[in-house]
C-alpha cells in the first residue's frame, strides 16, 4: 500500500472511499452506501459529538471513530435508515469509554492564562447560540447528551433512548431535569 500524499487535504469522503476500496469484495453499490452515510449524516453526527466533547478536536476524533467503525462493520447495519442512529450510538459509547478513562487516569494541563478572566459582553440579557451552547456545556454529561439529541438533532424520545441505551422514561426524566438546570444557568449566570 502506498503512503498517503501529505499535499492532499483530508476529507471524510476521501477516508471512506479509501477504506471501502481496501475491501476487495466491495462493489460500487457498497461504496455508494458509505459515501451516502458521510454525505447525509456527517454534520449531525459531528454536532452531537461536539455537544458531548465540548471542543472541536475531540468532536472530530469521535466522529472519525464512528465512521471508521461504520467502514469496518457496515454490513452489520441492515437498514440504511438506521445508519445515523448507529453512528450516534457508536460515538456515544466511545465518548463514555473515553470519559471513564480520563476519570481513572486524569491528565494535568498547565494553563498560562490561569487567573485571567474573560471580558463580559456588554449586552448580558441577549441570548444567542453561543451563550446557549456554553450553558449546555455546563450540564452534566447524562443531561447534556439527551438535550443535544432532542434540540440539536431533533431526535424523538425513542431514538434518544436507543442511542443512549436507556429506557424512554429515563430520557424523559433527564430532558426535564436538563431543561430545568439549563433554565437556571441561563437566568442566574452567577
Amino acid at each position: 500500500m502506498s503512503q498517503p500524499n501529505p499535499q492532499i487535504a483530508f476529507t471524510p469522503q476521501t477516508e471512506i472511499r479509501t477504506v471501502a476500496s481496501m475491501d476487495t469484495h466491495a462493489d460500487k453499490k457498497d461504496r455508494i452506501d458509505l459515501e451516502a452515510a458521510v454525505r447525509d449524516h456527517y454534520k449531525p453526527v459531528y454536532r452531537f459529538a461536539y455537544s458531548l466533547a465540548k471542543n472541536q478536536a475531540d468532536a472530530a476524533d469521535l466522529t472519525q471513530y464512528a465512521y471508521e467503525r461504520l467502514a469496518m462493520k457496515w454490513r452489520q447495519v441492515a437498514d440504511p435508515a438506521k445508519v445515523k442512529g448507529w453512528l450516534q450510538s457508536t460515538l456515544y459509547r466511545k465518548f463514555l469509554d473515553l470519559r471513564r478513562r480520563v476519570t481513572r487516569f486524569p491528565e494535568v494541563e498547565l494553563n498560562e492564562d490561569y487567573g485571567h478572566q474573560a471580558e463580559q459582553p456588554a449586552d448580558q440579557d441577549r441570548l444567542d447560540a453561543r451563550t446557549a451552547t456554553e450553558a449546555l456545556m455546563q450540564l452534566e454529561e447524562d443531561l447534556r447528551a439527551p438535550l443535544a439529541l432532542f434540540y440539536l438533532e431533533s431526535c424523538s424520545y425513542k431514538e434518544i433512548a436507543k442511542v443512549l441505551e436507556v429506557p424512554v422514561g429515563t430520557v424523559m426524566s433527564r430532558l426535564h431535569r436538563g431543561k430545568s438546570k439549563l433554565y437556571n444557568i441561563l437566568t442566574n449566570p452567577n
Side-chain angles (χ1 to χ4, degrees):
M1 182 181 275
S2 64
Q3 293 295 325
N5 184 348
Q7 303 292 327
I8 298 174
F10 169 77
T11 63
Q13 292 83 1
T14 305
E15 182 68 18
I16 294 298
R17 275 190 220 111
T18 304
V19 171
S21 65
M22 287 191 290
D23 185 2
T24 57
H25 301 293
D27 60 8
K28 185 173 179 150
K29 178 185 176 293
D30 298 332
R31 286 193 302 271
I32 292 170
D33 289 343
L34 290 173
E35 290 171 6
V38 172
R39 183 180 59 251
D40 297 342
H41 306 300
Y42 185 81
K43 286 182 181 179
V45 169
Y46 176 81
R47 279 193 306 261
F48 178 56
Y50 186 77
S51 73
L52 294 172
K54 300 182 183 180
N55 70 60
Q56 292 177 351
D58 291 343
D61 288 346
L62 287 169
T63 304
Q64 181 178 352
Y65 173 81
Y67 275 103
E68 179 182 308
R69 299 293 294 177
L70 178 64
M72 290 188 300
K73 297 183 178 242
W74 61 272
R75 288 180 180 95
Q76 293 178 0
V77 183
D79 185 3
K82 296 182 179 180
V83 169
K84 180 180 171 186
W86 189 92
L87 287 165
Q88 289 175 326
S89 183
T90 301
L91 183 147
Y92 184 68
R93 284 192 305 272
K94 181 65 173 178
F95 171 77
L96 291 178
D97 181 49
L98 293 172
R99 179 66 59 197
R100 279 189 288 265
R101 188 171 297 143
V102 167
T103 303
R104 289 177 60 200
F105 308 105
E107 293 182 15
V108 177
E109 287 188 32
L110 298 176
N111 186 354
E112 294 177 17
D113 295 332
Y114 183 77
H116 295 258
Q117 299 224 352
E119 195 173 304
Q120 294 293 328
D123 187 10
Q124 293 181 350
D125 293 336
R126 185 171 163 235
L127 178 63
D128 58 5
R130 188 183 73 183
T131 305
T133 304
E134 288 173 357
L136 180 65
M137 297 305 170
Q138 293 178 26
L139 295 176
E140 299 87 22
E141 182 273 324
D142 66 322
L143 301 177
R144 186 174 62 245
L147 283 171
L149 287 170
F150 187 75
Y151 286 112
L152 302 177
E153 302 304 324
S154 301
C155 291
S156 68
Y157 291 169
K158 187 176 179 181
E159 291 169 331
I160 296 169
K162 187 171 183 177
V163 169
L164 301 181
E165 298 176 344
V166 296
V168 173
T170 302
V171 169
M172 294 169 64
S173 172
R174 288 180 183 177
L175 283 171
H176 177 72
R177 288 192 341 249
K179 286 189 277 187
S180 295
K181 284 190 173 188
L182 190 60
Y183 177 80
N184 286 336
I185 291 170
L186 290 171
T187 57
N188 302 318
N190 295 331

